[in-house]
Amino acid sequence: MFLVQKHDQDYIKKKNKATVFQLIKSGSPISRAKIAKTTGMSPTTVGRIVAALCEQGFVKEVKEAEEAAATGLGRKATLLKLDRTSVLTAGVELDKSKFKIGIVDFDGRIINLREVQREVSETVEQTMHRIAEELRAMIEQEQIEPGKIIGMGIGMPGIVDVQNGEVILSAQLGWRNIQVAKTLRELTGYEVAVDNELKVKALAEHCYGAAKGSKRTALIGFGSGVGSALIINGEIYRGETNSAGEIGHTIVDPNGVMCECGKIGCLQTYIAESSLIVESNKVKPISTLDELFEERRKGQFWAAGILDRAITYIGITIANVICLYNPDTVIVSGDLVEKYEEVRSFFKENQLQQYVWEPLWDTYRVVYSALGSEGVVIGSSLLAQDKFLSIEC
């Protein structure tokens, strides 16, 4: 009984400390009194937590002029502010053909970012070693004390066991049951958090990007695969096995083509970049989306057919997500929807509405990712922050 009570007390202390930290982080500069009022904690509890955060170097006190509402006289108030460079995290985006790695401060700002090409034939062990080597090189380049980095986050395609840092299945990478967190922890010495790339990108957009202030955000990614993520009141909706949002592997045509996941007729076989390239090569050797769009601009009907079909499925995908989740904000991301005017015009001309159920027409807004190609790296660093706080609080 005593152990259960102690466990509950420890959990509450950790939760309270994380809550105060996040409030200072988002509302900085902020007073102790406002923290107590916002959280409902006692001033004594807030004072104890703030003292610990200051001692750890995460938070610092600043003096700022504050008008006294009652008297109209100016006075100096002691406010709390996040010391964003006190500790750092590493964020990684791991994809089929490359990985990006960045060192990020506690305010979501990237200090150093690298993009490294990855061979499709590269083994898991090779990729893990290269990530560790790049991180060491960046630490040396920026002359950062290794102890200042508190952890690493990884965002990657597929289904991830967040608790254990294990990749259950990534069809794009061809990985199954891979202990990513354990391996990188052994190689780097840092605690490692792993999650689906779109989930961490949605989290980053909620904290720093296009979804700030949104209560229910759906992010849809169109890239090497097709997927979505849902943020409800600042929390990632995961489902039972953290696979919520894997719309790329919903069946849209049981008589369609084979997907890399092993099923036939998956949605992503009509939208994913690799699928569009494969279709194009049945007519003409094409290696990039740029080449495919150029063929369309030249008036090649086969290129127009492939891309027009893809745009149609993009519209259907977004409409289905709107109907399923009823979000107030939909973020569309990925080169296919952000880079090419032919696709962007689909949104400019409001062609999406033809696919959306009429009662939902005025309930949402569609925006592009504000963080762009850096979103997954920033979101992954947030994972590392959260993991660190759960350990240290």
Side-chain angles (χ1 to χ4, degrees):
M1 182 69 175
F2 174 76
L3 290 175
V4 172
Q5 289 178 339
K6 187 177 187 304
H7 179 271
D8 290 343
Q9 290 172 356
D10 289 343
Y11 173 79
I12 292 171
K13 287 180 180 179
K14 289 181 179 182
K15 190 69 174 176
N16 285 346
K17 190 173 181 182
T19 298
V20 171
F21 176 83
Q22 292 297 342
L23 192 57
I24 296 172
K25 182 180 176 183
S26 61
S28 172
I30 188 171
S31 68
R32 289 172 174 81
K34 187 171 181 179
I35 293 172
K37 184 178 179 180
T38 302
T39 62
M41 298 179 199
S42 70
T44 302
T45 299
V46 171
R48 175 180 54 78
I49 293 171
V50 168
L53 291 172
C54 288
E55 186 178 344
Q56 288 176 292
F58 300 155
V59 173
K60 59 184 178 181
E61 294 183 334
V62 293
K63 295 283 187 180
E64 288 195 7
E66 182 181 272
E67 292 299 317
T71 63
L73 299 175
R75 65 182 177 86
K76 292 287 185 178
T78 301
L79 302 181
L80 302 166
K81 193 172 184 179
L82 181 72
D83 188 353
R84 62 184 181 84
T85 60
S86 60
V87 288
L88 307 170
T89 52
V92 178
E93 176 184 6
L94 181 56
D95 211 339
K96 190 172 185 176
S97 61
K98 62 187 177 184
F99 67 83
K100 294 179 184 176
I101 180 169
I103 295 176
V104 186
D105 68 24
F106 248 34
D107 210 19
R109 301 179 189 181
I110 294 178
I111 295 173
N112 191 317
L113 180 68
R114 293 187 179 188
E115 182 174 308
V116 181
Q117 296 304 307
R118 178 178 176 274
E119 297 295 329
V120 177
S121 59
E122 196 170 287
T123 65
V124 174
E125 290 75 17
Q126 288 172 327
T127 298
M128 297 295 100
H129 275 87
R130 293 183 71 197
I131 290 173
E133 288 167 3
E134 290 295 334
L135 178 57
R136 281 192 288 270
M138 293 170 74
I139 290 172
E140 290 179 8
Q141 180 183 345
E142 296 294 331
Q143 297 183 331
I144 297 170
E145 296 178 17
K148 203 171 185 180
I149 295 180
I150 59 170
M152 172 186 287
I154 312 286
M156 57 185 298
I159 300 172
V160 178
D161 178 348
V162 178
Q163 291 296 111
N164 297 310
E166 179 182 0
V167 178
I168 304 302
L169 174 65
S170 176
Q172 286 99 314
L173 296 174
W175 291 8
R176 184 187 292 270
N177 300 325
I178 304 297
Q179 297 281 349
V180 174
K182 180 177 181 292
T183 302
L184 277 174
R185 185 166 58 247
E186 292 171 351
L187 290 172
T188 65
Y190 297 120
E191 288 295 328
V192 179
V194 188
D195 206 342
N196 173 271
E197 59 178 345
L198 289 182
K199 287 181 171 63
V200 300
K201 185 169 187 175
L203 183 62
E205 293 286 351
H206 174 80
C207 293
Y208 302 115
K212 287 185 73 173
S214 168
K215 292 183 178 179
R216 186 182 294 260
T217 302
L219 181 142
I220 309 174
F222 300 95
S224 59
V226 179
S228 68
L230 184 66
I231 303 287
I232 303 175
N233 295 324
E235 298 288 336
I236 300 172
Y237 177 73
R238 299 186 177 280
E240 183 65 24
T241 60
N242 197 33
S243 60
E246 288 289 340
I247 55 174
H249 296 291
T250 55
I251 303 296
V252 295
D253 183 2
N255 298 312
V257 298
M258 179 72 74
C259 178
E260 59 190 357
C261 76
K263 297 193 300 180
I264 294 175
C266 289
L267 171 64
Q268 72 176 33
T269 61
Y270 296 94
I271 309 176
E273 295 173 13
S274 58
S275 297
L276 300 181
I277 300 299
V278 168
E279 284 293 301
S280 300
N281 275 272
K282 293 177 181 178
V283 181
K284 181 178 180 178
I286 292 289
S287 58
T288 66
L289 284 179
D290 287 344
E291 294 175 24
L292 177 56
F293 275 92
E294 186 57 34
E295 291 297 322
R296 186 184 194 275
R297 292 167 193 144
K298 290 178 181 177
Q300 295 296 322
F301 72 91
W302 60 268
I306 292 172
L307 289 172
D308 288 348
R309 185 181 66 175
I311 292 171
T312 296
Y313 276 106
I314 286 172
I316 291 171
T317 301
I318 296 171
N320 287 347
V321 167
I322 291 170
C323 193
L324 283 170
Y325 296 140
N326 192 204
D328 58 57
T329 302
V330 178
I331 303 173
V332 290
S333 65
D335 282 350
L336 185 58
V337 293
E338 296 182 87
K339 184 177 178 181
Y340 301 101
E341 183 58 34
E342 291 88 339
V343 183
R344 292 176 70 93
S345 64
F346 174 82
F347 299 103
K348 287 179 181 177
E349 298 167 8
N350 201 27
Q351 296 180 55
L352 175 63
Q353 187 165 295
Q354 64 183 303
Y355 301 110
V356 178
W357 188 34
E358 185 176 352
L360 302 178
W361 279 358
D362 299 319
T363 64
Y364 64 90
R365 65 188 180 107
V366 177
V367 297
Y368 292 105
S369 165
L371 302 177
S373 61
E374 297 178 350
V376 177
V377 170
I378 294 172
S380 299
S381 74
L382 288 172
L383 280 185
Q385 288 181 23
D386 290 343
K387 187 173 183 67
F388 174 76
L389 285 170
S390 69
I391 292 170
E392 292 294 320
C393 286

